[in-house]
Amino acid sequence: MVRGRISRLSVCDVRFPTSLGGHGSDAMHTDPDYSAAYVIIETDAEDGLKGYGITFTLGKGTEVVVCAVNALAQHVLNKDLRDIVGDFRGFYRQLTSDGQLRWIGPEKGVVHLATAAVLNALWDLWAKQEGKPLWKLLVDMDPKTLLSCIDFRYITDVLTEEEAYEILQKGRVGNREREAQMLAHGYPAYTTSCAWLGYSDDTLKQLCSKALKDGWTRFKVKVGADLQDDIRRCRLIRDMIGPEKTLMMDANQRWDVPEAVEWMSRLAEFKPLWIEEPTSPDDILGHATISKALAPLGIGVATGEQCHNRVIFKQLLQANALQFLQIDSCRLGSVNENLSVLLMAQKFGIPVCPHAGGVGLCELVQHLIIFDYIAVSASLKNRMCEYVDHLHEHFKYPVIIKKASYMPPKDAGYSTEMKEESVKKHRFPDGEVWKKLLAGQEN
């Protein structure tokens, strides 16, 4: 049972200098330092449990998210946790409808990233107090209770609460068998770690060879900076993995719409399953145009990691603008908003293949996609979750990958808690790592 009044909310800026090795580099983000605004929520409950929440950033600007978290703190402090989860829809709307803060949103940008960090911490605390991993908390939740966490405002033209209830009721059929399947075999994953755009060919070959030995069958390559270079790198990785394994491509918003169609027509020979973020994430009709043009080539469109909110996802689905939907656990308004998108995707019959990687994104989103399979979609067809093998060692409950699959977490919470020594070492700008780097020294 949830308990305690929130007595403290703290937030810090944690950054990892991944740009030094080209990790995470793509056509638009050439020097990312994987970072997080890291929120800790404490209560006056005697159990001493804390909730930990993150939102993912690329370095600069994390301090702005930290400011936004502090601006939202007034809505959280001194609230009874029972009251929050008892009307989670109302609390979500309170955070996203602050009469002044929403002006620099609403439900998008820095304020929404901050909202996600705060809500992630609350979900972590709720799951810990119930003694369950988050995915299990959601799976075991009564459908009406789960739906009470979702703000259906702005999406009832495509998904009503009654329709969502029917989806969840249908999902209860066979859910225990699917849960057992997840516990035994895990959720299928794909790797992005082999082919960051900043990697040399030798590094790509080395990492790809190791991934193949480790049993990976699904690979994603970054494209979009130079066509001839893309052709060469795609040929290299396709030759290494063979024709039977799955290849995806990711342009990270690099192209205009006509350019995307032309570029992917040239890369079609490598048989990609999808092209991810081919153009601006806000261009719904542009994605629809690209989807229609690439369909005869057998190439789908995937997007969502920078999709602002459930409303944009709603329109992407309405416009037939994507064939693979990529939720993100830290850009949308935490679990609450992701639940609405999972349900909309199910209604439209579009597979969800989450965005992960970064700092803790794998740790978080595994809970959502495992819940989706057990309680919503009941399908693994054309479904997989991204995996990136960076920075997991900094988390108290890191992901477990076996045979290229996510194994369901068994520890209580949302897997968001970082190791204290990692936070202390990488806290910006006064952590040990950053003191050295800012002084011009090597890490």
Side-chain angles (χ1 to χ4, degrees):
M1 178 179 290
V2 289
R3 55 202 170 271
R5 185 172 295 276
I6 296 172
S7 57
R8 187 167 186 260
L9 186 155
S10 58
V11 57
C12 62
D13 181 340
V14 183
R15 306 188 190 185
F16 300 88
T18 50
S19 61
L20 297 178
H23 310 308
S25 55
D26 59 54
M28 292 293 276
H29 313 95
T30 57
D31 60 346
D33 285 324
Y34 278 5
S35 309
Y38 185 54
V39 173
I40 303 175
I41 288 178
E42 303 174 48
T43 76
D44 60 7
E46 294 181 358
D47 57 27
L49 293 172
K50 299 178 183 180
Y52 297 84
I54 63 172
T55 198
F56 172 58
T57 58
L58 293 185
K60 294 178 207 175
T62 312
E63 68 273 21
V64 183
V65 183
V66 167
C67 288
V69 169
N70 285 323
L72 289 170
Q74 62 173 315
H75 295 287
V76 184
L77 290 170
N78 299 314
K79 293 286 176 64
D80 193 295
L81 187 61
R82 187 183 294 106
D83 293 337
I84 290 175
V85 303
D87 181 22
F88 221 152
R89 176 187 301 168
F91 184 75
Y92 172 91
R93 189 173 291 191
Q94 181 181 345
L95 283 187
T96 57
S97 299
D98 180 291
Q100 295 182 9
L101 290 176
R102 80 180 302 276
W103 190 258
I104 54 173
E107 295 185 81
K108 64 172 75 75
V110 170
V111 175
H112 214 44
L113 293 175
T115 298
V118 171
L119 292 174
N120 282 334
L122 289 169
W123 279 100
D124 180 56
L125 181 56
W126 185 5
K128 283 178 177 174
Q129 289 193 350
E130 296 288 355
K132 298 178 180 181
L134 180 88
W135 67 265
K136 182 63 171 169
L137 175 71
L138 295 173
V139 165
D140 290 348
M141 201 176 289
D142 175 79
K144 289 187 177 180
T145 301
L146 188 143
L147 293 175
S148 73
C149 299
I150 299 173
D151 188 351
F152 283 88
R153 181 165 57 176
Y154 308 136
I155 62 171
T156 55
D157 52 327
V158 302
L159 182 73
T160 65
E161 189 166 349
E162 293 73 23
E163 289 174 316
Y165 180 76
E166 290 177 8
I167 291 172
L168 291 175
Q169 283 292 90
K170 186 177 180 180
R172 292 167 76 90
V173 178
N175 63 346
R176 295 307 171 197
E177 290 80 4
R178 291 192 294 277
E179 182 175 333
Q181 180 187 352
M182 285 290 99
L183 290 168
H185 304 291
Y187 196 93
Y190 73 87
T191 178
T192 302
S193 301
C194 301
W196 297 111
L197 204 60
Y199 282 178
S200 67
D201 286 359
D202 286 342
T203 299
L204 189 155
K205 290 177 183 178
Q206 178 184 354
L207 293 175
C208 190
S209 178
K210 182 180 183 302
L212 288 167
K213 290 179 182 177
D214 290 340
W216 290 92
T217 61
R218 306 172 185 90
F219 298 79
K220 189 166 78 179
V221 58
K222 296 289 185 174
V223 298
D226 179 87
L227 178 57
Q228 294 307 314
D229 189 54
D230 284 349
I231 292 172
R232 180 181 55 78
R233 293 171 72 251
C234 289
R235 179 169 289 118
L236 189 157
I237 194 169
R238 177 52 88 186
D239 287 347
M240 288 196 69
I241 68 176
E244 75 286 355
K245 293 183 174 61
T246 305
L247 181 65
M248 288 81 70
M249 299 178 184
D250 187 355
N252 290 96
Q253 314 154 39
R254 182 61 184 255
W255 304 316
D256 281 354
V257 172
E259 186 180 19
V261 174
E262 181 181 357
W263 205 298
M264 286 310 301
S265 297
R266 295 288 302 277
L267 296 180
E269 65 174 290
F270 304 108
K271 305 297 182 184
L273 177 65
W274 75 54
I275 176 60
E276 184 174 332
E277 288 197 311
T279 192
S280 165
D282 300 338
D283 189 356
I284 296 158
L285 297 183
H287 276 84
T289 298
I290 295 167
S291 293
K292 185 176 181 179
L294 297 184
L297 300 175
I299 303 172
V301 168
T303 194
E305 72 178 80
Q306 295 216 28
C307 183
H308 294 302
N309 50 49
R310 64 195 180 282
V311 180
I312 299 297
F313 271 122
K314 177 189 76 169
Q315 294 180 66
L316 287 165
L317 290 165
Q318 287 175 308
N320 297 316
L322 77 173
Q323 287 70 53
F324 301 91
L325 188 149
Q326 297 173 309
I327 57 169
D328 182 282
S329 52
C330 294
R331 185 166 293 278
L332 294 185
S334 186
V335 179
N336 311 69
E337 192 167 30
N338 269 299
L339 290 173
S340 70
V341 176
L342 291 175
L343 289 163
M344 285 193 291
Q346 176 64 10
K347 179 178 177 181
F348 280 83
I350 296 296
V352 176
C353 299
H355 169 244
V359 179
L361 295 185
C362 294
E363 275 70 21
L364 273 68
V365 84
Q366 61 178 335
H367 290 269
L368 301 178
I369 200 61
I370 290 169
F371 160 76
D372 178 66
Y373 172 65
I374 296 172
V376 181
S377 72
S379 173
L380 293 177
K381 183 179 181 181
N382 287 328
R383 296 168 188 267
M384 62 192 104
C385 186
E386 184 174 24
Y387 175 71
V388 176
D389 62 0
H390 304 310
L391 308 176
H392 303 294
E393 67 274 16
H394 299 291
F395 284 82
K396 190 172 180 179
Y397 309 106
V399 295
I400 297 174
I401 297 288
K402 290 184 179 179
K403 297 181 179 179
S405 295
Y406 280 90
M407 301 309 296
K410 295 183 178 179
D411 295 290
Y414 198 5
S415 306
T416 43
E417 186 175 350
M418 298 177 74
K419 295 177 180 177
E420 289 185 15
E421 58 268 31
S422 291
V423 174
K424 184 177 180 181
K425 184 177 180 180
H426 292 89
R427 183 167 179 153
F428 186 87
D430 56 356
E432 175 187 336
V433 167
W434 289 103
K435 282 182 178 178
K436 290 181 179 179
L437 286 173
L438 294 173
Q441 301 177 26
E442 287 285 329
N443 181 16

